[in-house]
Amino acid sequence: GAGVSQTPSNKVTEKGKYVELRCDPISGHTALYWYRQSLGQGPEFLIYFQGTGAADDSGLPNDRFFAVRPEGSVSTLKIQRTERGDSAVYLCASSLTENTEAFFGQGTRLTVV
Amino acid sequence: SQQGEEDPQALSIQEGENATMNCSYKTSINNLQWYRQNSGRGLVHLILIRSNEREKHSGRLRVTLDTSKKSSSLLITASRAADTASYFCATATISSGGYNKLIFGAGTRLAVHP
């Protein structure tokens, strides 16, 4: 596609439920990032993929969060047992290589009620 | 954790004036990128400056980088009301695994008044 695509754009879920957020990066981009952004703050790094492997997952807040990128393209961020504090906009970005511009999707706004 | 810190946190100017935003960071970087964000959703990439570069221009935007001071600035000349947005710097640093990790600051909220 022309840009980074994230689905769904909005997700409302009940506390305790499991959610999956999807990111389709720009075709051919090897690097993929996930961020979380709360209102009035900058994007907070969660995880970075180079190809299929998670090169750096140091930003994942706890073991309820997990992300995969099995074929080196589409990535899924998975959140188990959601909590109200998980409510935020989840942003995905991709870049051609790790030292080039990163392009962002429009994000998924997750609301846990 | 945040690597970059933008200054000021908020900036209010009149149309036609120049806007300068600063970014300071703590560790060595491979490159520094500036982004713009409207209404809290997708970030738009503005400029990437590499660690061996000192200045870059793109239209009304001018970015400088001083690696000795670990700081960068973004200048928007002849500002327009449409420039109203939040601006973020992001630093590409080498993570423990040897890969670049892109870390954002808290941003500067720019308001340009007609």
Side-chain angles (χ1 to χ4, degrees):
Chain A
V4 178
S5 175
Q6 291 188 246
T7 54
S9 57
N10 288 282
K11 176 72 177 177
V12 180
T13 191
E14 292 181 348
K15 179 175 176 297
K17 299 290 189 182
Y18 167 83
V19 295
E20 289 189 352
L21 311 179
R22 177 187 169 105
C23 174
D24 276 276
I26 294 172
S27 179
H29 281 196
T30 61
L32 185 146
Y33 303 85
W34 281 100
Y35 292 86
R36 177 169 72 174
Q37 188 176 28
S38 300
L39 192 63
Q41 301 194 8
E44 174 192 12
F45 172 80
L46 295 177
I47 187 169
Y48 162 62
F49 287 92
Q50 182 63 31
T52 60
D56 189 326
D57 64 357
S58 62
L60 294 178
N62 52 60
D63 61 6
R64 295 187 297 107
F65 289 74
F66 189 71
V68 295
R69 194 186 185 198
E71 298 177 357
S73 178
V74 171
S75 177
T76 304
L77 178 66
K78 308 180 181 191
I79 310 174
Q80 297 178 322
R81 304 183 303 280
T82 51
E83 301 178 355
R84 292 195 179 88
D86 298 334
S87 297
V89 175
Y90 288 82
L91 296 164
C92 175
S94 70
S95 60
L96 185 62
T97 68
E98 62 184 17
N99 204 24
T100 56
E101 298 89 337
F103 296 92
F104 280 78
Q106 289 299 303
T108 294
R109 184 180 301 279
L110 175 66
T111 304
V112 182
V113 297
Chain B
S1 61
Q2 306 286 20
Q3 150 82 316
E5 294 184 4
E6 283 94 338
D7 168 58
Q9 291 184 335
L11 182 60
S12 182
I13 60 174
Q14 297 296 126
E15 256 189 335
E17 293 180 340
N18 294 342
T20 299
M21 288 160 271
N22 302 296
C23 171
S24 60
Y25 56 92
K26 298 173 184 172
T27 63
S28 295
I29 62 171
N30 283 339
N31 67 66
L32 185 146
Q33 305 181 35
W34 284 92
Y35 288 83
R36 165 189 161 141
Q37 187 178 43
N38 291 84
S39 53
R41 294 305 286 261
L43 288 94
V44 175
H45 186 270
L46 298 177
I47 287 185
L48 179 151
I49 186 165
R50 301 192 188 283
S51 59
N52 61 352
E53 297 176 312
R54 292 297 168 257
E55 187 171 311
K56 285 190 85 167
H57 297 255
S58 177
R60 294 183 296 113
L61 307 181
R62 172 177 170 254
V63 168
T64 62
L65 178 64
D66 187 335
T67 52
S68 66
K69 295 181 179 178
K70 291 187 170 56
S71 68
S72 174
S73 68
L74 170 67
L75 169 68
I76 304 174
T77 60
S79 63
R80 306 166 182 168
D83 294 329
T84 295
S86 291
Y87 292 82
F88 296 91
C89 72
T91 51
T93 61
I94 296 292
S95 68
S96 58
Y99 295 99
N100 269 347
K101 183 161 83 173
L102 197 60
I103 302 297
F104 283 78
T108 293
R109 292 182 302 281
L110 174 66
V112 182
H113 302 284

